[in-house]
Every structure is written in structure tokens, then in C-alpha cells.
């Protein structure tokens, strides 16, 4: 129970605040299983106020899924609770159901495979757009290794989407009549991927240099205004999707047109130490406004994306992911993670930089540094420290904390002193002491 607040002022009332988390997975037979993952909170700021979680959205999911050989099927239901100040529950969607099915044939005489995939989803809201979609995709894939050692993979896919929508806002006329009714599209695509791994084996280390290129051809467009973007809003161009046939994470947005993706991978491997790196770029034949401004793909050729990783045994790991402006070669996005030291005395740091020109209404310029340390005092006991820093011009220390932890097979006990220097509605700048006890192996 806690004091009710209106902004930063107490109202004099006492309210009950809390949250629920529950998970379960149950086996039906050798093919099927079902489960759930539930998360709800009484209000938007409770989890952050009591240092339980910094999540901005709570997700509840229930599912049934089955796997047999190369076949997979699943039925899911999703519900969300937004915890940001501008989240409106009336516009928060309920996904019920989402159906997935995929099957891949056994390799044929020359290694070719045929695949089939189906996805169906029904998404409804109390306010705003509703959409009901069914998608089906058939694919053909043929890998081939040439005598020189270069590897080719040819693919061809044909996807069909049919949607029934209502209440969709027309982006060309936001104040006009909403878009309703049926809409469909047919999306063919062919691609050829080429890789040439060059390996030099040495007495102390092995070196790998691998040029990679992919040519992808499909019709331009394919994103009519009547199809709402529900599952591809959080798009980010980076090293993980550089060579993807479609860089969008979901079904609602489609990357069409002709393009060439190319890059270079490097690696050196020796006992106890591994270093890898990759950099690449994409060239699109035609700009059809598929990608938004400042996405890195809105011009051709695209920005450069890549990563660098160094792993020296269990006591030193550092990784960097970056995006470099194609013209000025300045960093537009930079993420670095560092872990140093054994379990007895370990230090970690995380750095994130997002250039000013990438800022939007939802995501402004950002430069942050997170530091943490942990040292073992004696058997079962350890001390911790952490801090979070805003490195922008008017930034500074956002959070600092020190703590004591005890762990054994039966429980985990922690106590932490935290100074928070940010405001969030009823969470003013504060200093707090939090004690937690987690019992293990109940039931």
C-alpha cells in the first residue's frame, strides 16, 4: 500500500499497488506443448518506483505449439500493457489469435528444398485500427559449392497477403475518412547469395577472410496505404539484417525492388582468443520510399553497418556495433559492451550513442554510459556497484547504487542503496534502500 499521488503531490488517499508475473510450460505429448507468460501491473510507474523493472511495456502471452521433424505449428495470444506516459490503453492492441505454420522438405537430389509458411493474425483495439490478415509463402532454395570453394545459394519465394482492415488512417490524408475493407498483394522475389571463405591455417592461429554479396530482385512498392504497419515499427538497419531478403521484422512492411548487399567478414582464431569483424553496405536500384528518413537506407548506397568482437578467454570480452554515414564517414550509431575480470572481481560497461540527425519524436539524441562492478567478499557474499550517466551536453549522473548480495542453493538475498536523479510522474529524485529475498526451488 502506498500514498496516492497526482503528479508529484500527495492526494491524501492510500492505494494498493502491485504486480503479477507468472510463467508456465506444460508438455502435452512428444509433439505438442502449451504455456503462458503473464505480466501485469496496477499502474504505470510502480515497477520503476520500487526498482523492480525498467520495462516500458508488459507482455502477456499464451501459446500452444508443436514440432515434428521439419514441421512447426503454433497458436498464440498476446496482450500488452504500456507503461509510458503517452500510452493510451484504448489504442493498445489485443492479438487473438496468431497462427503460424511452417514446413521444409527434405533435401532433393541436388540439395534443393521446398518450404511452405502460413501466418494468420487478428488484431483488435477499443479505439483505432483493426486488422485481420492471412499470409502464405512458398519458397525454393538451392545451395551450391563451386570447385574453388565459393558458396552460392539461390532462392525464389512467392508470398500472398490478404487483409480485412477497418479504421486505418490514410497517411496521405490523416484528417480524412479512414480506410476500410479488403486489400491484397502478391510478392514474388528471387535472390542469389555468394560467399567466398578464404582460410589460412597457422601453427598458432587461423585467419578467415570472407567476402559476401547478395543480389535480390522483386517488384518495387508493395506497401499500399490501406495496410497498417503493426509489426514492423521498430525497424533498425544494422549488421544483423544487412543480408536479409526483407529487412523488416514482420509481415506488414515489404522490402521490394532490386538491390545488392555486400560486405567483408574477418576473423582470427587461436586457443583462448577469438577476434571477428564485419562491415557492409547495401545498394538499391530505386528509392520507392520504403524506408523512412534517417533510416540509413533512405538513400543509395546505404550507410555502412558492421560489428567488431574480441573474446580473450572468460575474463575479457568487448563488442561493438556501429553505423557510419555513407558520405561523411561519421558515426551515426555506436554501441559498445565491455566485460573485464573473473567472477571474483568483474567490471562491465555499456556505451550507447545515437547521432542528433537520427532523432525523431520518439527517439531523440542519446549518449549514455552504464557502469557496473561486482566483487566476491567471501563464500556466498558479494558487493555490487552500478551507475548510469547521460553524456549529452546537459546530462550528468542519472543513477548510482551500491549493494550487498548473498546467494546459496536455497535463496538470494540483496540489499541496495540507490540514488536516482530523474523524474517520472510520481517518481521524484530520491534515495532509497531496497531489500529483496528470492526463494529458490519452491514447489
Amino acid at each position: 500500500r502506498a500514498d496516492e499521488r497526482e503528479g508529484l503531490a500527495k492526494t491524501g488517499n492510500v492505494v494498493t499497488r502491485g504486480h503479477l508475473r507468472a510463467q508456465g510450460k506444460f508438455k502435452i505429448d512428444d509433439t505438442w506443448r502449451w504455456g503462458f507468460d503473464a505480466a501485469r501491473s496496477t499502474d504505470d510507474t510502480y515497477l520503476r518506483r520500487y526498482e523492480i523493472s525498467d520495462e516500458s511495456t508488459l507482455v502477456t502471452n499464451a501459446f500452444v505449439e508443436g514440432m515434428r521433424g521439419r514441421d512447426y505449428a503454433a497458436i498464440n495470444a498476446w496482450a500488452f500493457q504500456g507503461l509510458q506516459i503517452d500510452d493510451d490503453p484504448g489504442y493498445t492492441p489485443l492479438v487473438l489469435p496468431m497462427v503460424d505454420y511452417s514446413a521444409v522438405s527434405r533435401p532433393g537430389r541436388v540439395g534443393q528444398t521446398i518450404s511452405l509458411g502460413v501466418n494468420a493474425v487478428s488484431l483488435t483495439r477499443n479505439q483505432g485500427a483493426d486488422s485481420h490478415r492471412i499470409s502464405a509463402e512458398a519458397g525454393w532454395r538451392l545451395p551450391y559449392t563451386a570447385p574453388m570453394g565459393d558458396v552460392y545459394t539461390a532462392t525464389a519465394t512467392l508470398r500472398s497477403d490478404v487483409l480485412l482492415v477497418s479504421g486505418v488512417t490514410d497517411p496521405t490524408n490523416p484528417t480524412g475518412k479512414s480506410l476500410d475493407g479488403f486489400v491484397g498483394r502478391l510478392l514474388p522475389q528471387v535472390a542469389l547469395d555468394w560467399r567466398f571463405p578464404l582460410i589460412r591455417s597457422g601453427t598458432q592461429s587461423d585467419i578467415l577472410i570472407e567476402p559476401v554479396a547478395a543480389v535480390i530482385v522483386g517488384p518495387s512498392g508493395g506497401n499500399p496505404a490501406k495496410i497498417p504497419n503493426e509489426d514492423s515499427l521498430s525497424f533498425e538497419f544494422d549488421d544483423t539484417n544487412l543480408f536479409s531478403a526483407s529487412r523488416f521484422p514482420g509481415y506488414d512492411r515489404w522490402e521490394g525492388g532490386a538491390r545488392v548487399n555486400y560486405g567483408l567478414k574477418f576473423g582470427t582464431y587461436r586457443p583462448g582468443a577469438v577476434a571477428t569483424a564485419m562491415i557492409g553496405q547495401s545498394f538499391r536500384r530505386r528509392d520507392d520510399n520504403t524506408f523512412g528518413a534517417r533510416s540509413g537506407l533512405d538513400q543509395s548506397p546505404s550507410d555502412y553497418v558492421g560489428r567488431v568482437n574480441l573474446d580473450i578467454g572468460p575474463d575479457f570480452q568487448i563488442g561493438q556495433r556501429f553505423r557510419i554515414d555513407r558520405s561523411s564517414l561519421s558515426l551515426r550509431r555506436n554501441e559498445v559492451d565491455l566485460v573485464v575480470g573473473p567472477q571474483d572481481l568483474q567490471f562491465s560497461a555499456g556505451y550507447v550513442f545515437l547521432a542528433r540527425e537520427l532523432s525523431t519524436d520518439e527517439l531523440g539524441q542519446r549518449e549514455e554510459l552504464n557502469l557496473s562492478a561486482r566483487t566476491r567478499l567471501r563464500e556466498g557474499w558479494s558487493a555490487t556497484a552500478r551507475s548510469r550517466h547521460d553524456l549529452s551536453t546537459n546530462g550528468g549522473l542519472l543513477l548510482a547504487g551500491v549493494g550487498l548480495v548473498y546467494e546459496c542453493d536455497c535463496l538470494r538475498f540483496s540489499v541496495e542503496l540507490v540514488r536516482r536523479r530523474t523524474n517520472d510522474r510520481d517518481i521524484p529524485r530520491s534515495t532509497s534502500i531496497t531489500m529483496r529475498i528470492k526463494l529458490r526451488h519452491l514447489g
Side-chain angles (χ1 to χ4, degrees), residues 111-274:
Q112 79 278 11
T113 57
I114 297 174
S115 61
L116 174 65
V118 177
N119 175 270
V121 62
S122 178
L123 185 150
T124 57
R125 295 179 172 89
N126 292 330
Q127 299 173 270
D130 296 342
S131 65
H132 313 276
R133 173 182 50 78
I134 182 168
S135 303
E137 180 176 280
W140 174 86
R141 180 178 184 273
L142 175 65
Y144 171 72
T145 302
M148 289 290 292
D150 45 333
V151 180
Y152 298 83
T153 304
T155 59
T157 60
L158 178 62
R159 194 178 106 194
S160 174
D161 299 334
V162 178
L163 297 92
L164 173 62
V165 301
S166 62
V168 176
T169 300
D170 186 349
T172 63
N173 185 19
T175 60
K177 185 178 179 181
S178 63
L179 304 177
D180 305 287
F182 284 94
V183 59
R185 58 186 175 183
L186 194 63
L187 307 169
Q189 189 178 80
V190 294
L192 179 64
D193 182 276
W194 170 83
R195 301 167 185 262
F196 196 4
L198 303 171
I199 302 174
R200 191 193 75 174
S201 298
T203 56
Q204 296 185 341
S205 64
D206 298 330
I207 296 177
L208 168 67
I209 298 176
E210 183 181 20
V212 184
V215 179
I216 303 171
V217 180
S220 298
N223 295 299
K226 205 171 183 178
I227 297 180
N229 185 7
E230 301 284 2
D231 60 11
S232 298
L233 289 169
S234 58
F235 167 76
E236 179 182 341
F237 177 45
D238 57 26
D239 59 285
T240 63
N241 57 26
L242 172 62
F243 296 102
S244 299
S246 178
R247 280 176 269 252
F248 291 109
Y251 288 84
D252 291 335
R253 284 295 174 265
W254 163 263
E255 182 181 2
R259 55 199 181 275
V260 179
N261 308 320
Y262 45 88
L264 182 66
K265 295 182 178 180
F266 171 83
T268 177
Y269 308 86
R270 61 184 303 172
V274 176

